Amino acid sequence: MTIRPATPDDIPAIAAIYDEAVRTGTASFELTPPGVSEMTRRHAALVESGFPYLVMEEGGVVLGYAYASAFRPRIAYRHTVENSIYVAPAAQGRGIGRTLLEALIATCEAAGFRQMVAVIGDSANEGSIGLHRACGFADIGVLPATGLKFGRWIDTVLMQRPLGRGADGVPEEADLSFSG
């Protein structure tokens, strides 16, 4: 298995993975899966802003993907990223999510980011919550009943992990290599 930066050629596979997650799960609060063109636009916007967007592949098949994005648009949040991770259903349970998250954390630390936030759909999403805890994320809070999907209210779980020096000191602006 190989982890590498996602390319435009990966977008159809990424879109298929996300399509399944949107249609059948509560990790995403989207109700209608975006098509390949929208996923291409989203990928390009993140990459052009300098955020990491990774895929894990085996034998040329994309098994999962992970990316970091701006946590919030205000400039004071520029040292904080939000992570997203999705694994193809057939590849789940093989440690791919953890490997992708660990690679994303390392990439963001190397870039000089100081905090990573996980915004997890559904307090019953034990897999994602457990994965984030195993990778050093702390439980920050639950926003009850913030999404309505599949005819039921769904919580949003917030988790956070320091990156590099975390809140130890104020970073120099030159320390941040992503334009975010």
Side-chain angles (χ1 to χ4, degrees), residues 51-110:
F51 290 105
Y53 201 125
L54 309 173
V55 294
M56 178 176 274
E57 69 173 353
E58 183 176 50
V61 175
V62 174
L63 304 175
Y65 67 98
Y67 61 85
S69 59
F71 170 61
R72 302 284 306 261
R74 304 284 190 262
I75 192 68
Y77 293 108
R78 69 191 170 281
H79 298 283
T80 302
V81 292
E82 179 179 337
N83 74 67
S84 294
I85 306 158
Y86 291 92
V87 177
Q92 292 175 3
R94 296 175 47 193
I96 291 166
R98 183 175 184 146
T99 303
L100 277 166
L101 181 53
E102 288 170 346
L104 187 65
I105 288 167
T107 302
C108 289
E109 283 179 332

Side-chain angles (χ1 to χ4, degrees), residues 149-167:
K149 189 171 182 180
F150 303 135
R152 68 179 180 92
W153 288 106
I154 302 167
D155 300 340
T156 300
V157 177
L158 300 175
M159 300 181 79
Q160 183 175 342
R161 182 194 194 284
L163 300 173
R165 293 178 52 204

